[in-house]
């Protein structure tokens, strides 16, 4: 918990600079699954991917329930390699991407690409990309009114931050201080950079993305 508080302080103090890293890993068989339906221990890449998805959906199911609504879990969670991903409404999946497809309500990710980021940049990669895409799955269940796609993307970053912050506060994820560049780099790479059904280059600047993520992390879902 101390680590979480340190991370929180780092994020709060980080306007214009690099925020702290997202949860570095969940403790195996410890807090990771306590009180949650998530059994993965986040020990390795496949485990972290499963845990990030499970905990984030668990987080949103609770938030929806608090508002007398029911969160609708994604129908599929598809790992692909390069060009062999599922299409979305006739649009082919592209390499080095992760995306939420509203048609079918599923998420797909290039596992080779995500694993490479995980290996190079740290396991925070998974805890940025997956919650961001699940943020789009949440948006699809809410009434959204965005003038610009960048707003949609920044809200997904905010939702990702809110989910991670909430999970840390709930004690089901532990945060460790890590390389501060990790989060920035991961936010820059956090999925759907080439979605054709959103305007290209409309994800926001790295600074905007950091700010949105940190806002959700520190202030919660309602500020997103
Ligand atoms: Zn996105």
């Amino acid at each position: 918990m101390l680590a979480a508080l340190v991370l929180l302080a780092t994020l709060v103090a980080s306007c214009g600079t690099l925020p702290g890293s997202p949860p570095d890993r969940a403790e195996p068989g410890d807090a990771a699954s306590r009180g949650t339906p998530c059994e993965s221990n986040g020990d390795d890449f496949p485990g972290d991917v499963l845990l990030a998805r499970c905990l984030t959906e668990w987080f949103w199911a609770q938030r929806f329930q608090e508002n007398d609504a029911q969160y609708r879990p994604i129908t599929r969670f598809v790992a692909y390699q390069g060009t062999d991903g599922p299409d979305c409404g006739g649009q082919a999946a592209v390499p080095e991407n992760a995306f939420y497809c509203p048609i079918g309500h599923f998420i797909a990710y290039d596992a080779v690409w995500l694993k490479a980021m995980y290996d190079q940049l740290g396991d925070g990669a998974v805890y940025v990309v997956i919650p961001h895409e699940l943020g789009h799955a949440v948006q699809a269940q809410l009434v959204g009114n965005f003038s610009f796609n960048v707003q949609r993307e920044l809200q997904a970053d905010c939702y990702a931050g809110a989910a991670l912050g909430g999970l840390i506060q709930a004690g089901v994820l532990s945060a460790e201080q890590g390389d501060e560049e990790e989060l920035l780099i991961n936010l820059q790479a956090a999925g759907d950079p080439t979605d054709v059904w959103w305007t290209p280059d409309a994800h926001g600047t790295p600074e905007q993305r950091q700010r949105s993520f940190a806002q959700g992390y520190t202030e919660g879902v309602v500020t997103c």
Side-chain angles (χ1 to χ4, degrees):
M1 201 55 203
L2 180 62
L5 292 174
V6 170
L7 173 61
L8 197 67
T10 307
L11 283 166
V12 169
S14 70
C15 276
T17 61
L18 299 173
S21 76
D24 217 45
R25 78 163 57 87
E27 294 300 325
D30 181 20
S33 58
R34 187 183 302 155
T36 81
C38 306
E39 293 179 353
S40 172
N41 58 26
D43 254 351
D44 51 14
F45 174 71
D48 272 317
V49 169
L50 290 176
L51 190 60
R53 177 223 174 153
C54 182
L55 286 176
T56 304
E57 290 211 287
W58 177 73
F59 171 84
W60 285 113
Q62 290 187 311
R63 299 290 83 75
F64 274 61
Q65 200 170 21
E66 287 166 5
N67 292 283
D68 297 320
Q70 190 168 10
Y71 172 76
R72 193 159 58 90
I74 55 172
T75 59
R76 289 191 295 152
F77 192 51
V78 185
Y80 66 92
Q81 297 188 5
T83 57
D84 72 353
D87 72 69
C88 176
Q91 296 289 343
V94 298
E96 304 193 338
N97 195 23
F99 64 93
Y100 165 73
C101 179
I103 303 159
H105 190 51
F106 70 88
I107 284 172
Y109 61 96
D110 182 338
V112 175
W113 166 74
L114 191 55
K115 174 72 159 58
M117 284 206 296
Y118 180 92
D119 289 340
Q120 293 164 17
L121 308 176
D123 46 12
V126 166
Y127 290 95
V128 169
V129 172
I130 303 301
H132 173 94
E133 299 306 335
L134 283 167
H136 287 311
V138 167
Q139 288 173 328
Q141 301 176 57
L142 302 173
V143 177
N145 186 14
F146 300 102
S147 302
F148 300 99
N149 287 324
V150 65
Q151 295 172 327
R152 188 191 308 274
E153 292 305 326
L154 291 175
Q155 188 186 55
D157 286 334
C158 186
Y159 279 172
L164 291 177
L167 289 166
I168 290 167
Q169 280 193 323
V172 296
L173 267 183
S174 56
E176 300 166 356
Q177 272 197 302
D179 183 353
E180 293 193 344
E181 289 185 13
E182 184 177 317
L183 178 58
L184 172 60
I185 295 167
N186 283 318
L187 277 174
Q188 285 179 300
D192 53 24
T194 56
D195 274 350
V196 290
W197 54 102
W198 290 310
T199 310
D201 305 316
H203 276 69
T205 64
E207 291 74 22
Q208 285 176 313
R209 302 199 66 178
Q210 281 179 267
R211 204 177 305 129
S212 293
F213 185 94
Q215 179 185 328
Y217 187 96
T218 57
E219 299 173 43
V221 177
V222 291
T223 66
C224 297

